[in-house]
């Protein structure tokens, strides 16, 4: 296998370079075929690298970028004004073929806007979608869009279904069951966009479309790919994260309060921690921007070191599977 | 306090009269001021009553209705054709002043359509919304709309905010913090409907509007009333139910598998069951149809006996607080 080069936006996320640089160096150590370019304030990055003994500098490059995109910068401003930001430079490297993928924990809206501008979408795709795997009763499910597009036409939902299906197949699920998220499973249920998208999917017949799915069906594992607009997807993802945290807190509180529970807690709390980790997928697995002419993985803004490492591994997997190329090939047949 | 009369649709829900009649008789026994009318197939209902000794028939009436609304009946059909259904007859009793509230576990779409047709909405309210309390880190939050309206105009979202605020106040939260569910908390985030609804709420200034809230903020308890369209609300509610069930299953599985966990499970599983119950609010607390000239409480279709009893108690509370009258009074001042 040839070397895989990943350009890392070292400045993004809630924790910034102090989390991202060590996470990147961990991956470099663990994966011999991996090459990394850390993009951002070079002096700060070099300082953080110097704290770590035995770094293989032959596979590590530092690329200076003078600007940083803030979490509340407006995408349009970023596009016009911050042309030497760490995020922009990392994406430029992918576009120029100097890197095979970009990983960023920065501002999602800015990442989406810059990715579209720098890398362009695949032929037939109007706008990229954000996809991530969420855990279900019997495995996991690829949910998209997670927030890139607040309003979606039926055609866009159709495109998301095709992209999600191809991505799921590439990532190891043969003939993935694709469903549209809705408020009921009967044909008459839902808003116009969802009803028309269902028609498009039924008529095209090129995706293993299984119909509507409800919110609870999502977690029951009734589909491998679940499609919705970014408004709904983002709210489902974040409310699920919030609920999982709340449940964990409540259970911990009960175990700590209850007298027998205190003993029990010694065994139970580590088990609960494991469940909690499994249930914060976006935080731990990273999310892909699907539909671009290049690989871009978004790590959760509040992801710690383990989370950022997962995002790098996800990018590596997409490089190895050549996801954009395979998407592009299949899209030609499947798109309307 | 004068007697409160509740008309019970005895035929709805997944479990039907075999669950609803015993639950109703439980409440009759526990609440001396309560009068009930059980509406549905009289012979079957009488049979179920006869199985229970010591029923106070002075406070219990059976009203025959020849038809039953199926869970998959289309609302429009129900409206035109099933004029002697248990749901319709129960609502007619409220309209005629023969009952103070209606409780049903039946088809939500049909209940909404029939309620609007029979009881009419309050002045200034376009369409009713479904509201229920969901648990949060520090209490609970009234979430609406939970599925009555898949597409909502900014004006409707504004109306939901006003109704939710008044209902929360009536139910015991002074100056409730009202938020709009969105994909970000900055002004520029979200779809057109949400942005315009935010403007209306800011301009009106009559509700304690605190801005946008994200999915995780919902469970962190950052607001007392959270407003969204019925498409989003229904999917958030159902996916939360699904996730809570999945987490409970996973934790149970871990406790049962783990050798030390088996002992631990003896203490832990009842505690977990309690958390699980607290987290199925719609199933256990019932939901109100808000904005009607009368009280209608929807019990979850899959609610068991305890769930249906909660729905009856919710209806009783709304009768005692005279919710529609208080809503109507406050709406006059607050609506645009």
């Amino acid at each position: 296998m040839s070397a895989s080069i990943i350009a890392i936006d070292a400045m993004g996320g809630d924790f910034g370079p102090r989390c991202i640089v060590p996470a990147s160096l961990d991956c470099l150590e663990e994966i011999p075929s991996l090459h990394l370019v850390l993009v951002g304030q070079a002096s700060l990055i070099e300082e953080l690298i110097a704290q770590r003994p035995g770094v293989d500098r032959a596979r590590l490059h530092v690329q200076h970028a003078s600007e940083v995109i803030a979490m509340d910068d407006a995408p349009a401003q970023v596009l016009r004004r911050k042309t030497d930001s760490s995020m922009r430079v990392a994406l430029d490297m992918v576009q120029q073929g100097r890197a095979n993928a970009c990983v960023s924990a920065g501002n999602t809206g800015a990442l989406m806007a810059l990715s579209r501008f720098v890398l362009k979408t695949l032929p037939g795709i109007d706008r990229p979608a954000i996809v991530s795997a969420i855990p279900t009763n019997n495995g996991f499910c690829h949910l998209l869009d997670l927030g890139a597009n607040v309003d979606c036409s039926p055609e866009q939902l159709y495109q998301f279904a095709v992209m999600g299906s191809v991505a799921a197949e590439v990532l190891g699920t043969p003939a993935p069951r694709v469903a549209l998220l809705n408020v009921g499973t009967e044909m008459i249920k839902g808003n116009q966009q969802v009803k028309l998208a269902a028609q498009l999917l039924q008529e095209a017949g090129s995706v293993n479309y299984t119909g509507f799915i409800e919110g609870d069906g999502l977690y029951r594992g009734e589909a491998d790919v679940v499609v919705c607009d970014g408004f709904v997807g983002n709210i489902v993802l974040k409310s699920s994260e919030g609920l999982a945290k709340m449940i964990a807190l409540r259970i911990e509180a009960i175990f700590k309060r209850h007298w027998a529970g205190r003993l029990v807690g010694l065994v139970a709390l580590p088990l609960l921690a494991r469940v909690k980790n499994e249930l914060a997928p976006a935080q731990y697995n990273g999310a892909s921007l699907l539909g671009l002419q290049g690989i871009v993985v978004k790590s959760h803004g509040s992801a710690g070191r383990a989370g950022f490492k997962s995002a790098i591994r996800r990018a590596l997997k997409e490089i190895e599977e050549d996801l954009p190329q395979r998407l592009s090939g299949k899209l030609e047949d499947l798109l309307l």
Side-chain angles (χ1 to χ4, degrees), chain A residues 68-78 82 107 109-110:
Chain A
V68 174
I69 292 173
M71 291 309 254
D72 58 352
D73 276 349
Q77 298 286 326
V78 163
K82 291 202 173 170
N107 180 330

Side-chain angles (χ1 to χ4, degrees), chain A residues 233-285:
Chain A
N234 182 278
I235 288 173
V236 165
L237 186 73
K238 286 191 181 154
S239 63
S240 293
E241 285 175 10
L243 176 59
K245 263 185 211 159
M246 185 187 83
I247 295 178
L249 283 173
R250 281 196 182 210
I251 293 176
E252 281 170 17
I254 284 181
F255 276 73
K256 282 175 183 162
R257 199 169 52 225
H258 202 274
W259 78 262
R262 277 184 217 161
L263 295 174
V264 164
L266 291 176
V267 177
L269 293 181
L271 298 178
L272 291 176
R274 209 173 76 195
V275 174
K276 192 159 65 171
N277 283 356
E278 284 173 17
L279 292 171
Q283 186 153 5
Y284 291 93
N285 302 341

Side-chain angles (χ1 to χ4, degrees), chain A residues 25-41:
Chain A
L25 298 180
D26 287 349
C27 285
L28 202 65
E29 229 171 71
E30 291 161 19
I31 309 161
S33 65
L34 183 65
H35 288 236
L36 293 181
V37 184
L38 295 174
V39 186
Q41 311 279 1

